[in-house]
Amino acid sequence: MNEQLPATAYLTAVARAEATLDPACDLVDEYAARFAELCPPSVRAITAHTGGLSVVAARTTTIDAMLTRALERRAPGVFVNLGAGFDARPYRLDPGAWPPGCRVVEVDVASILDVKDRLLPPAEAAVPIERVRCDLRFLGDLDRALRPRTEGERLLLLAEGLLTYLPEPQLAGLARTLAGFGASASWICDALSTDSARVLTRASRGAGSKLTMYGLTDVRAFEENGWRCEDISLLPTARVQRSAGPGVGATSQLPDCVLSLRR
Ligand SMILES: C[S@@+](CC[C@H](N)C(=O)[O-])C[C@H]1O[C@@H](n2cnc3c(N)ncnc32)[C@H](O)[C@@H]1O
């Protein structure tokens, strides 16, 4: 794994902490500042070049709405947050949003979840949380971790800000593995257009970061691996691309968006 990938959890926290202080922004995440304070200056510098803070906040509020609807409609027994980072939804969402008996499983690397355990103890959440240390590139490890925790369950999966760091073959493998879990499953995840991925990769290079973002031209990586796309919400960057007229975004068919998938 690129050693800077876990740093993106801090960048997301910085974005949410700044959005929380901005009265013009709908997002309120009172937990984000705890993690944002720990963001190394070299990592924080990346945000100056990408201008992506408002995009993260918009993505998070879009996903909040989709997730709240899915929790109500699907009443999952297990909610799995892949690349959970410092996401505080089990603390931040209305406690009544969680269906009775629902358990939360958060998956990320140990260096992130160790910090999270310290600053956001599972015992203070509205729902039972288990934190699973696992590198998502190793699908055998993921299978061993998640299969026993999801057997026979109605499953709701989330991957926010994660898939854009996976090359398409890795994404396809992850989608195939996830399609094998639970009795039924829904999955909410965001995706970038190939144009946006190129722009963001160039911007992070400009800030001295080696992070590479990957865009998608279509949803084949999901649909060829057991998932069907039920719904799509455009992110603000996609709206800008579209309103900019012909020629802008011409090479990408999938806009920056949040997908709701079903198996
Ligand atoms: C942009 S952050 C988003 C975090 C979280 N989803 C949120 O919205 O606050 C991406 C997260 O994915 C995690 N991640 C990236 N690659 C991973 C991998 N191969 N295995 C486990 N976690 C990974 C990072 O550690 C980081 O926490």
Side-chain angles (χ1 to χ4, degrees):
M1 190 197 317
N2 181 320
E3 79 266 3
Q4 286 184 311
L5 259 180
T8 62
Y10 290 95
L11 290 180
T12 308
V14 168
R16 294 193 183 125
E18 290 193 7
T20 299
L21 295 176
D22 180 352
C25 184
D26 290 341
L27 180 69
V28 177
D29 181 346
E30 63 191 57
Y31 303 97
R34 300 182 191 182
F35 301 99
E37 275 170 19
L38 301 179
C39 184
S42 58
V43 173
R44 200 180 272 262
I46 297 173
T47 62
H49 293 255
T50 60
L53 297 187
S54 58
V55 176
V56 172
R59 182 184 75 198
T60 300
T61 50
T62 301
I63 290 180
D64 278 355
M66 290 171 85
L67 188 61
T68 307
R69 268 199 311 275
L71 287 169
E72 192 182 340
R73 280 198 203 142
R74 312 248 185 261
V78 183
F79 167 66
V80 177
N81 191 347
L82 299 156
F86 302 133
D87 181 346
R89 287 193 174 91
Y91 305 77
R92 170 169 83 64
L93 293 186
D94 176 356
W98 300 97
C102 181
R103 295 181 283 120
V104 173
V105 177
E106 297 186 332
V107 183
D108 210 301
V109 294
S111 60
I112 291 297
L113 294 184
D114 289 349
V115 174
K116 194 170 188 180
D117 271 348
R118 200 159 43 80
L119 297 185
L120 219 46
E124 291 172 17
V127 274
I129 303 183
E130 200 180 353
R131 294 197 171 127
V132 174
R133 279 96 175 134
C134 178
D135 186 325
L136 292 160
R137 288 169 311 159
F138 302 120
L139 299 175
D141 291 349
L142 183 66
D143 190 83
R144 274 185 291 282
L146 288 190
R147 190 165 294 281
R149 293 175 165 91
T150 56
E151 201 89 69
E153 294 282 3
R154 211 170 17 236
L155 196 60
L156 177 59
L157 297 155
L158 171 66
E160 179 177 358
L162 170 72
L163 305 187
T164 50
Y165 296 105
L166 304 183
E168 198 157 335
Q170 242 180 63
L171 169 60
L174 179 65
R176 196 162 44 247
T177 301
L178 295 175
F181 296 141
S184 64
S186 314
W187 183 10
I188 295 171
C189 56
D190 58 295
L192 283 181
S193 69
T194 50
D195 288 344
S196 290
R198 249 193 310 274
V199 168
L200 287 170
T201 299
R202 212 176 304 135
S204 73
R205 290 279 187 284
S209 156
K210 292 196 177 71
L211 282 175
T212 301
M213 312 280 264
Y214 298 90
L216 292 177
T217 51
D218 54 46
V219 292
R220 259 183 305 176
F222 303 102
E223 295 203 330
E224 290 178 355
N225 290 290
W227 298 91
R228 77 193 133 80
C229 187
E230 277 201 329
D231 193 12
I232 174 166
S233 286
L234 296 189
L235 290 170
T237 41
R239 295 194 193 101
V240 170
Q241 285 160 3
R242 294 199 155 186
S243 63
V248 178
T251 56
S252 59
Q253 291 123 41
L254 191 77
D256 298 350
C257 63
V258 182
L259 300 168
S260 174
L261 305 157
R262 194 86 194 271
R263 198 202 78 211

